[in-house]
Amino acid sequence: MYTVLPDSVQVRQSEVNGRGICTKLPVRAGSVIFVTKPYAAALSTPSLSSHCSSCFALSSTSLLRRCTKCRIAHYCDFTCQTQDWAIHKLECTSLQNWFKAAPSSDIAPPSDAVRCLSRVLWRIQKRGADTIQVKKVEISLPDRQSLKPSAYETHTYLSHSLVQYMGLSSPADMAQYSLSSAADLLDTVSRFVTNTFTVTDPTLVPLGAAVSPVVALINHSCDPNAVVVFPRVSPDPKSQEPLMHVVAIRDIYPEEELCSCSILTAYIDATLPTNLRQQSLNEIYNFKCMCHLCTMVEVDPRTCLNCPKNCGGLCPLPSDDHPLVRCAKCNTVVHLVDAALDARRVGQEGLDKASSLQTKDPERSLRLTTNLIPILTSAGFPPSSHPLLGLTRLHQQLLTASFPNPLTQEHLDETIRTATKNVTGLVALLREGHPVLALALTELGKLLAVDEPSPRLADAQNPKVSPKEATPASLATYPPSGLPRLQLAYQTLLRARKMLLVGFGVVNEGGQVGKEVREMIVALEKEIGVFKQGVRNVLEDTRKA
Ligand SMILES: [Zn+2]
Ligand SMILES: [Zn+2]
Ligand SMILES: [Zn+2]
Ligand SMILES: [Zn+2]
């Protein structure tokens, strides 16, 4: 039944996890377990004019062909447009009607969720509701009755938008899509929501929504052994992209008894603390995760404070069972816990606010992150803790987006320090080879390799200090300048490449980013060589003089 699955894996029913995908053969970290094309996919509204609606490739708007009828869909070329036409033909009419019925001319098209769901329905209509693909969607359904009230509301809203967009005003209209009633539509919407994935570009930037019933068969763990990525490595860009690659990020062995052969991906952001992960899983997927992270008794680096004596240990935040906060390593009691909890609350509110302002008012967003990060740091939170990690990540994005022209040393160095804190936080939470960690390292390495606007001469003249031998005094002047900086960039990118090969697949050469990083490493090798030769020449000249 699951035709796209290779022979090495099977769909299995286990008592612990329910239905899931298991491997029959040992899988190495970095192996692509399987590749599949989504059943349907739609670009998010902001990506509609910068990406191809068929293969999701990025292009400049002037190079893309715009659909002359709806003026919404864009394509790389005639081939992509032709490939998408069977479905877009129907979509195009709906889009035109949507704009005709709009109260004002500047109304946005429906959301990617609505457009993706409508594409599912048009495919069902074209193929007939009893095809294998549709059955696959149906079998992974949580039924409507068991939905949380909050989810019910979202799904009802989505159904309404869909009715309006597709013009499903009568039972006869619905019948075209094998829907018997409004309740039936709501069921379809619910199934859709739990089978939806975010399509990302090769740097994990969200591009839109996709539905894949096969990939949705994979069970969840907050500490996954596999990831779903879109590395875009097809030799022919107009082939089947966007393609979903399920990649193992650690070795998986077939062991019948324990069902440790299960392939597991994280449905939600695994860097969030347990209560927030559980909340999302409960609201969207309606289950309680029992993975080892959700049930662990050790200190969670997501919810803890640094040891007040700086012993290197972590102190779990207070709970009803353990109101007293102590260092897990040296047992020192932490005072001022209330102040830390207040700072955490302020940080959480600030993160929500700053995230909502990121595109609308980036300057205000940046002021918020700039003010909040020191508050949480001085309250004793480590870089891996929530919401400090989220604030750091956002701060880095905002700093990168606001590079002044010409770039200043101060702005660049602040961005590098922020990127370093982000990597430090992620290293404590994610496995070696997780694509999120791999990309954070890549960004740090790239920042370190940026030409310094005004390098510190002292560092440049003293090229012997390597990052490994860095003394506390030189850490105060982090990031280093001159040759040590280039060497640090080089080491960081080497480590990033190793992880990209795992996170985006060895056969994919680490995806588009992996290939790009390999070229950067080669260029840096040359640059470091030239730099060393330059210093040697200067020394020779001084000696001669
Ligand atoms: Zn295309
Ligand atoms: Zn069109
Ligand atoms: Zn979990
Ligand atoms: Zn301690």
Side-chain angles (χ1 to χ4, degrees), residues 51-57 64 74-77 79-81 232 237-238 241:
H51 290 75
C52 172
S53 280
S54 176
C55 75
F56 281 40
L64 289 166
H74 288 70
Y75 298 97
C76 298
D77 50 29
T79 317
C80 278
Q81 190 165 15
R232 294 198 75 87
K238 284 173 245 6
E241 296 284 358

Side-chain angles (χ1 to χ4, degrees), residues 215-233:
V215 180
L217 282 171
I218 299 174
N219 280 319
H220 162 86
S221 167
C222 301
D223 180 20
N225 57 19
V227 288
V228 180
V229 285
F230 295 81
R232 294 198 75 87
V233 283

Side-chain angles (χ1 to χ4, degrees), residues 66-75 81 85 88-89 91-93 95-96:
R66 186 168 68 169
C67 172
T68 48
K69 291 197 178 111
C70 65
R71 300 166 154 257
I72 291 295
H74 288 70
Y75 298 97
Q81 190 165 15
W85 184 243
H88 181 67
K89 188 168 57 183
E91 180 181 52
C92 198
T93 315
L95 281 168
Q96 290 172 59

Side-chain angles (χ1 to χ4, degrees), residues 222 268-280 293-294 300-304 317 344 348 384-387 389 429:
C222 301
I268 37 91
D269 180 358
T271 65
L272 292 173
T274 307
N275 63 328
L276 294 182
R277 294 198 311 273
Q278 294 271 1
Q279 196 184 321
S280 309
L293 280 183
C294 286
D300 186 350
R302 296 162 182 82
T303 44
C304 66
L317 292 181
R344 190 169 185 251
Q348 177 62 64
S384 58
S385 66
H386 178 80
L389 179 64
L429 303 179

Side-chain angles (χ1 to χ4, degrees), residues 2 10-22 219 259:
Y2 306 99
Q10 60 181 344
V11 177
R12 250 194 20 198
Q13 192 79 32
S14 103
E15 280 185 16
V16 192
N17 298 325
R19 197 182 45 244
I21 297 186
C22 288
N219 280 319
C259 211

Side-chain angles (χ1 to χ4, degrees), residues 372-374 376-377 381-393:
L372 288 165
I373 290 170
L376 287 160
T377 308
F381 287 102
S384 58
S385 66
H386 178 80
L388 183 54
L389 179 64
L391 281 165
T392 310
R393 215 180 311 180

Side-chain angles (χ1 to χ4, degrees), residues 2 16-17 31 113-114 150 163-164 174 296 305 352 383 428 449 491 523:
Y2 306 99
V16 192
N17 298 325
S31 310
V114 172
S150 53
V163 164
Q164 204 185 349
M174 295 239 194
M296 78 172 175
L305 287 163
D352 295 342
Q491 288 166 0

Side-chain angles (χ1 to χ4, degrees), residues 478-491:
Y478 181 88
S481 193
L483 183 57
R485 179 136 154 180
L486 286 184
Q487 286 169 331
L488 185 57
Y490 179 72
Q491 288 166 0

